[in-house]
């Protein structure tokens, strides 16, 4: 949670909304979490227990665009 607060506050210092889903805050969070997800994928590829799944709570708001 501390990192998330920073993700939202730092952009405000530069006049940009921190927006934790689609803005700089979301990008900063991705930089922290994508490597973790890749490590989990490697663990499963090395023979992790197949009955253990992986759940990704990606926010679809980041994939929407105005037409």
């Amino acid at each position: 949670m501390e990192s998330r607060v920073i993700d939202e506050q730092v952009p405000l210092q530069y006049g940009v909304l921190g927006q934790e889903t689609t803005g700089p805050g979301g990008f900063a969070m991705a930089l922290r979490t994508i490597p973790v997800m890749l490590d989990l994928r490697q663990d499963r590829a090395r023979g992790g227990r197949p009955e253990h799944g992986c759940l990704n709570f990606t926010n679809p708001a980041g994939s929407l665009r105005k037409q």
Side-chain angles (χ1 to χ4, degrees):
M1 290 308 288
E2 291 176 29
S3 296
R4 185 171 170 181
V5 170
I6 293 169
D7 292 347
E8 294 180 18
Q9 289 179 350
V10 169
L12 291 174
Q13 295 173 7
Y14 297 93
V16 179
L17 290 177
Q19 187 43 284
E20 53 96 9
T21 55
T22 61
F27 184 71
M29 184 173 164
L31 291 175
R32 282 192 306 278
T33 58
I34 289 172
V36 175
M37 293 299 294
L38 293 175
D39 286 345
L40 289 171
R41 186 182 74 172
Q42 282 183 334
D43 288 346
R44 288 198 46 132
R46 283 189 292 238
R49 299 181 63 160
E51 68 272 18
H52 292 178
C54 182
L55 182 61
N56 182 353
F57 271 112
T58 301
N59 186 334
S63 63
L64 300 177
R65 63 184 183 144
K66 288 186 175 182
Q67 300 265 330

